[in-house]
């Protein structure tokens, strides 16, 4: 199937405008309350109660009287006269007419009520008028005996005046009686050769509307026969040979729906009573010989297309909505799209300026720090089940708030015949954005119409009376940003922003929040993305609820709270490949790596600068082992000029061991707490050490003393990296900090590092690395996630959770084109930085990993049992294994000049190997 064609013709907001209107008059199901059932109607003449008979005759109107579960509704034939709704709850008299006037007229129903509702007066759409006045209404029934009509009205009237639980039960019973009484009529079959293979009660679902009826399937057609006469034809039919696609759907968080799309660019959404009925109908449709469906692309295929920039962002987001049960036919699951820019008050919109874009890594409710702090405080004080947001980013109220100018009757239906207070109406784009940022209960995202031309939903072409604000401003067309020339220009520029490279490089973060692994559970809590429990699939099940009041209440709650999309991804979403055409990462590489190509032909094979660096690595021979520390070793490095080895330990000390004299030459206590990491600067004059006391120490090799100690984090420093005069530190405080640091040459004063910025994470840091150019940074966390960052702009490029266990090590290759990640479960992953695709995934031989080092061709892997394994990436085989230690290898260092491999262990030993 061509998804773009399907999106343009079948999955479109235009279907929203199809109002279920009566075949003979202005009545629509949208004029009823949500959940109210329309049963049948009768031709009548309406006589308003008046002072005399002549006046009653003069004011009479012919029309139809609609019998509904909550109201009597009179629809006059005169198109300028209003529809009259008479709620049963306001009726105090219902009888056959026996008044002093019009005694000669037979078959009359008399109703007296204290309140009525008028709508469509002058045939204009606007707020319903509630008239509180005790009046009588006389309806002369035409063509039928009043004794057949009055009992039906009286039963509905009696049901309404019962207690709520009885009322709901009796209404349901009456509906079931209608279902039991009515069977699909074979007379409506299209030809004599059809055979009915399925028939059940069901609902036709449209925005804000449930219409009950009978669903029937034959070998050639699918039929829906409504309980009432709302349509011009007695049945709706879909020819099976016209079907393009049939999708299982969720309805009110229950898997009972089915949506059918036709080659005639129409769709129909049906809901059955049970999941088993839905499954049976679905399977039978597919089995019919006339059914020739098109194949919808698989989710993985579309994700790969988007990742390769073969699918625009808008089309991909709409595909995700489609797969996640979002439908234009179901207002409670309307498709959702993100806000992407923040500038709605400027005269110009510069889409090349990163500051105009919204942070897509955060839900809309978490962008404003003050608002989030208030919500988190409430969350902490809340009893279970806890939630951060009591409202949802997509609800019928939000959708209809945006669409009030093109679908006003739907908002009137939702709000009991009223538009919202003028100050709360959709009046200004900037005002709406600001309210979403700061409003304590406003977390709305956008709808597809914001990215579709011509933007007519922003224009009050119908000249609706939407009210006057407190400022005296009349609510009319939506006020656009100054940079938008008109509504069409506004939506076109929003679409351009959505397709921008800035958004493309970050859209996967928003997908993780709405459709992915951060949608629910612990990940949602970490991401400040937890909504009311009733919005999640599986949180509630309506069917087992026997109490009709509770069941009805749950349905209304689901309607009002909104529904979280079906979760499509349980792992971090892949990011869009950034090397295809002048993207931000291309620009970084074009300045710092002149050999990088800015086209689609980037080599993804992990070819390194020099394969000869580790020649003979597979032939490691044991040289020496020594034990200097009193506690577990945490890091090790080398001093080639001195032919010495540097080590740090949990025993608070830094030690230097000479391979020439084979004895300790330095031992310095740096801290009162454990040391976690160390780096020898290129000139070998300075050693940078990280500590559990939250600080970084700068140790002078020449002076054998600490020249500078710098508090760096709010918790223990766990890892270090340095390249191109950039120092990177990671911590248990879940942050990575980037510092400008040029090492001191010789015995001069130390150059104090200057903080450049910090990068927030969701979990404790275990490993960091910066590429040889200083352009890219990678960080690994205890939760198994890996993040790729632009070290210059400090913006996240990609994030992926690759394991349920901690990351031991994440390292760039010398040419920065590949990335190796090792996790505690023993898995080693090699990724192409340019393409974002996994190149190799292999397992450490026979055990869990504790440390790793690589040069692009070979991997040295330290095991939890003390084994050192040497793997070749060319052949993906283990070349050699060495029993190096009695317990986990905590650190590995290789020095080409010294031709040594050094391993350190929790067994307190350092082992040296020659190659």
């Amino acid at each position: 199937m061509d998804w773009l064609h399907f999106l343009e013709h079948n999955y479109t907001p235009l279907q929203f405008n199809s109002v279920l209107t009566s075949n003979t008059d202005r009545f629509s199901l949208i004029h009823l309350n949500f959940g109210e059932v329309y049963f049948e109607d009768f031709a009548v003449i309406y006589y308003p109660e008046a002072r005399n008979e002549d006046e009653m005759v003069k004011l009479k109107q012919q029309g139809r009287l609609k019998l509904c579960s909550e109201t009597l509704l009179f629809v006059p034939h005169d198109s300028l006269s209003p529809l009259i709704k008479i709620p049963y709850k306001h009726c105090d008299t219902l009888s056959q007419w026996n008044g002093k006037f019009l005694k000669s007229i037979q078959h009359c129903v008399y109703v007296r009520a204290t309140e009525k509702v008028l709508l469509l007066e002058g045939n204009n759409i606007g707020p319903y008028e509630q008239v509180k006045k005790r009046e009588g209404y006389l309806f002369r029934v035409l063509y039928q005996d009043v004794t057949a009509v009055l009992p039906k009205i009286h039963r509905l009237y009696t049901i309404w005046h019962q207690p709520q639980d009885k009322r709901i039960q009796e209404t349901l019973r009456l509906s079931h009686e209608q279902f039991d009484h009515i069977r699909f009529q074979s007379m409506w079959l299209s030809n004599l050769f059809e055979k009915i293979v399925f028939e059940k009660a069901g609902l036709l679902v449209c925005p804000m509307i449930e219409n009950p009826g009978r669903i029937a399937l034959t070998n050639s057609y699918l039929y829906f026969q409504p309980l009432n006469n709302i349509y011009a034809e007695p049945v709706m039919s879909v020819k099976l040979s016209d079907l393009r696609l049939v999708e299982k759907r969720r309805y009110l968080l229950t898997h009972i729906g089915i949506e059918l799309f036709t080659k005639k660019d129409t769709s129909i959404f049906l809901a059955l009573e049970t999941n088993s009925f839905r499954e049976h109908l679905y399977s039978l449709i597919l089995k019919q010989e006339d059914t020739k469906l098109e194949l919808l692309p698989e989710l993985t295929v579309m994700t790969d297309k988007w990742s390769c920039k073969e699918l625009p962002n808008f089309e991909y987001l709409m595909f995700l909505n489609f797969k996640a049960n979002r439908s234009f036919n179901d207002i409670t699951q309307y498709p959702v799209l993100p806000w992407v820019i923040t500038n709605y008050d400027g005269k110009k919109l510069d889409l090349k300026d990163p500051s105009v874009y919204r942070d897509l890594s955060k839900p809309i409710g978490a962008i404003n720090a003050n608002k989030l702090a208030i919500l988190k405080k409430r969350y902490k004080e809340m009893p279970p089940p806890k939630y951060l947001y009591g409202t949802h980013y997509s609800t019928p109220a939000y959708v209809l708030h945006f669409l009030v100018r093109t679908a006003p009757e739907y908002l009137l239906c939702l709000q009991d015949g009223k538009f919202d207070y003028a100050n709360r109406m959709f009046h200004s784009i900037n005002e709406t954005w600001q309210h979403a940022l700061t409003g304590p209960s406003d977390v709305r995202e956008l709808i597809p119409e914001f990215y579709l031309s011509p933007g007519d939903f922003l224009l009050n072409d119908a000249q609706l009376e939407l009210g006057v604000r407190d400022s005296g401003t009349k609510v009319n067309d939506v006020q656009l940003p100054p940079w938008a020339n008109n509504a069409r220009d506004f939506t076109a520029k929003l679409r351009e922003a959505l397709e921008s490279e800035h958004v493309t490089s970050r859209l996967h973060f928003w997908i993780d929040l709405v459709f992915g692994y951060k949608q629910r559970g612990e990940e949602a809590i970490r991401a400040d993305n937890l909504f009311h429990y009733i919005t999640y699939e599986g949180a509630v099940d309506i069917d087992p609820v026997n109490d009709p009041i509770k069941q009805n209440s749950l349905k209304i709650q689901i309607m009002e709270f909104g529904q979280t999309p079906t979760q499509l991804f349980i792992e971090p979403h892949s990011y869009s490949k950034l090397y295809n055409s002048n993207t931000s990462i291309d620009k970084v590489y074009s300045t710092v790596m002149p050999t990088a190509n800015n086209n689609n032909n980037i080599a993804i094979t992990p070819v390194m600068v020099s394969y000869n660096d580790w020649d003979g690595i597979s032939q490691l021979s044991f040289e020496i082992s020594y034990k200097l520390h009193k506690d577990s070793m945490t890091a090790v490095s080398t001093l080639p000029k001195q032919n010495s080895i540097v080590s740090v330990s949990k025993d608070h000390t830094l030690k230097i061991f000479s391979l020439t004299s084979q004895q300790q030459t330095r031992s310095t206590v740096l801290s009162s707490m454990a040391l976690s990491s160390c780096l020898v600067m290129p000139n070998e004059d300075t050693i940078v050490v990280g500590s559990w006391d939250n600080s970084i120490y700068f140790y002078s090799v020449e002076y054998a003393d600490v020249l500078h100690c710098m508090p760096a984090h709010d918790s223990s420093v766990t890892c270090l990296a340095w390249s191109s005069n950039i120092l990177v530190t990671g911590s248990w405080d879940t942050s990575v900090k980037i510092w400008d640091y040029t090492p001191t040459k010789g015995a001069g004063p130390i150059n104090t590092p200057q903080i450049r910025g910090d990068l927030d994470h969701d979990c404790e840091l275990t490993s960091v690395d910066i590429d040889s150019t200083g352009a890219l940074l990678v960080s690994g966390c205890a939760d198994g996630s890996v993040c790729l960052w632009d070290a210059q702009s400090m913006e996240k490029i990609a994030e992926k959770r690759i394991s349920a266990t901690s990351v031991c090590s994440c390292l760039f290759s010398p040419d920065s084109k590949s990335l190796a990640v090792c996790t505690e479960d023993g898995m080693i992953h090699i990724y192409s930085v340019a393409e974002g695709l996994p190149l190799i995934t292999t397992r450490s031989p026979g055990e869990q990993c504790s440390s790793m080092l690589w040069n692009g061709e070979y991997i040295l892997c330290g095991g939890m049992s003390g084994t050192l394994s040497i793997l070749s990436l060319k052949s993906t085989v283990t070349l050699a294994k060495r029993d190096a230690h009695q317990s986990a290898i905590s650190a590995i260092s290789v020095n080409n000049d010294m031709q040594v491999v050094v391993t350190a262990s929790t067994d307190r030993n350092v082992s040296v190997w020659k190659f």
Side-chain angles (χ1 to χ4, degrees), residues 850-851 861-869 882 884-885 887-892 903-906:
S850 55
S851 56
C861 184
M864 295 294 288
S865 66
T867 300
L868 178 66
S869 302
R882 298 289 185 270
H885 295 273
S887 60
I889 297 176
S890 53
I892 307 172
T903 58
S905 171
T906 57

Side-chain angles (χ1 to χ4, degrees), residues 154-166:
H154 196 273
R155 182 177 180 183
L156 293 169
Y157 166 82
T158 303
I159 289 173
W160 180 260
H161 284 83
Q162 291 184 5
Q164 186 183 19
D165 56 341
K166 293 287 186 182

Side-chain angles (χ1 to χ4, degrees), residues 85 132 166 170 224 466 472 506 551 639 646 657 783:
K85 286 178 71 174
K132 294 184 178 182
K166 293 287 186 182
E170 288 298 317
F224 179 76
L466 300 175
R506 294 156 180 80
Q551 190 178 70
L639 294 166
V646 180
F657 182 86
D783 64 354

